[in-house]
Amino acid sequence: TTASFMKAPNNWTIQIVTPFEPQYSAGADDALIDGYRGAVNWRKGSWQGYQTDVEVIIDLNATETVSKVSTEFLQDTRAWIVIPKKVMIETSIDGKNYQQVYTAENFLTIKEQKVQIKNIEDTCPAVKARHVKLKALQNGK
């Protein structure tokens, strides 16, 4: 018998402010920061699914210089999976006072029927931060 293990790429923790749908957990809360990437075939269970706007807070567990944040979203409109219409990233040193470092919207049209993963990456001026908050706003009904 053999098994493969992957050491977590960081010592971060995550607070899921908006609960994900239980049947689309991707395994656990830490799925968003564990270093594994979801497949185009969402049926493999490697994606977290949300039916509302998303908010998560990543605690880097130390003050670090942050100059790039990236995240991926899946779109499969035939399965009612649509990437957010807007993504915002904020940083904080104390976990209370946040400053927005990135906002963007309209990544893919909801009419786009090609199943695809969209990488959203922000390269921002370097800031000191311990907490990174990601908000993703859904397209609505």
Side-chain angles (χ1 to χ4, degrees):
T1 303
T2 62
S4 296
F5 295 92
M6 182 176 136
K7 184 179 186 307
N10 52 58
N11 189 32
W12 304 341
T13 57
I14 190 165
Q15 175 190 0
I16 306 276
V17 179
T18 308
F20 50 79
E21 293 299 313
Q23 68 271 32
Y24 303 111
S25 70
D29 287 359
D30 288 347
L32 296 179
I33 57 171
D34 66 5
Y36 288 105
R37 298 292 185 210
V40 173
N41 181 356
W42 57 268
R43 292 167 189 86
K44 292 182 176 184
S46 56
W47 288 95
Q48 279 190 357
Y50 298 81
Q51 290 197 18
T52 60
D53 294 341
V54 177
E55 183 175 332
V56 300
I57 301 170
I58 300 166
D59 185 344
L60 305 175
N61 288 313
T63 300
E64 297 184 17
T65 300
V66 175
S67 60
K68 182 168 101 173
V69 177
S70 67
T71 184
E72 292 181 339
F73 295 95
L74 174 69
Q75 179 154 305
D76 183 352
T77 55
R78 292 184 202 132
W80 297 96
I81 301 168
V82 181
I83 72 166
K85 69 178 177 183
K86 186 174 187 177
V87 172
M88 297 165 287
I89 298 170
E90 301 173 351
T91 59
S92 171
I93 291 180
D94 61 9
K96 295 176 186 162
N97 301 301
Y98 284 86
Q99 71 178 49
Q100 191 167 51
V101 295
Y102 176 81
T103 184
E105 55 191 304
N106 301 323
F107 305 102
L108 291 174
T109 174
I110 198 166
K111 295 178 181 181
E112 174 64 56
Q113 293 195 0
K114 178 183 175 192
V115 179
Q116 58 189 298
I117 296 170
K118 178 72 175 169
N119 183 46
I120 297 169
E121 185 171 284
D122 168 44
T123 304
C124 59
V127 295
K128 293 285 186 188
R130 175 171 172 166
H131 304 273
V132 177
K133 182 186 293 186
L134 178 131
K135 295 179 183 178
L137 305 181
Q138 70 166 339
N139 280 283
K141 294 183 179 182

